[in-house]
Amino acid sequence: MLQVTRKDNKESLENMIRRFNRKVQQSGVLSRARSNMYFEKPISKRDRRLKAITRNERRAEKARKARLGLR
C-alpha cells in the first residue's frame, strides 16, 4: 500500500497528490488492477502477445513502404 505524507506544513495538497500519482504509476499498481479486472485464460495471453508482435511488424512494414513511396 502506498502512502504519501506531507514533507512539511507548507507543501500544498496539489503537490502531495502529484507525488502520490507519480508513485502509483511507477509502482504499476494501477496497470495490474486494470489487467485483473477481467479474467483471461493463459493461452489467450500468449495469443495476445503474438498478435501484438504481428501488429508491430505490420506497422513497421507500412512505415518502411511509406518512406520508400510505395503504397
Side-chain angles (χ1 to χ4, degrees):
M1 182 157 167
L2 296 170
Q3 289 183 347
V4 176
T5 56
R6 284 191 172 180
K7 291 181 179 179
D8 56 4
N9 290 335
K10 294 181 181 180
E11 185 182 23
S12 68
L13 185 62
E14 290 83 15
N15 285 344
M16 197 168 70
I17 291 172
R18 191 176 303 122
R19 282 193 303 120
F20 174 76
N21 287 338
R22 192 178 316 124
K23 279 190 176 186
V24 168
Q25 282 183 339
Q26 288 175 351
S27 67
V29 172
L30 199 58
S31 62
R32 273 186 273 135
R34 284 186 177 151
S35 68
N36 291 335
M37 282 177 64
Y38 303 104
F39 176 77
E40 287 188 26
K41 293 181 181 177
I43 194 164
S44 67
K45 288 182 182 179
R46 179 180 176 272
D47 290 343
R48 183 168 34 102
R49 287 187 191 110
L50 292 175
K51 285 180 183 179
I53 290 170
T54 305
R55 187 173 53 245
N56 289 338
E57 287 174 352
R58 285 182 183 163
R59 190 176 294 149
E61 181 66 21
K62 187 176 179 181
R64 186 185 69 79
K65 285 184 178 181
R67 281 195 308 268
L68 293 176
L70 303 174
R71 191 165 190 215

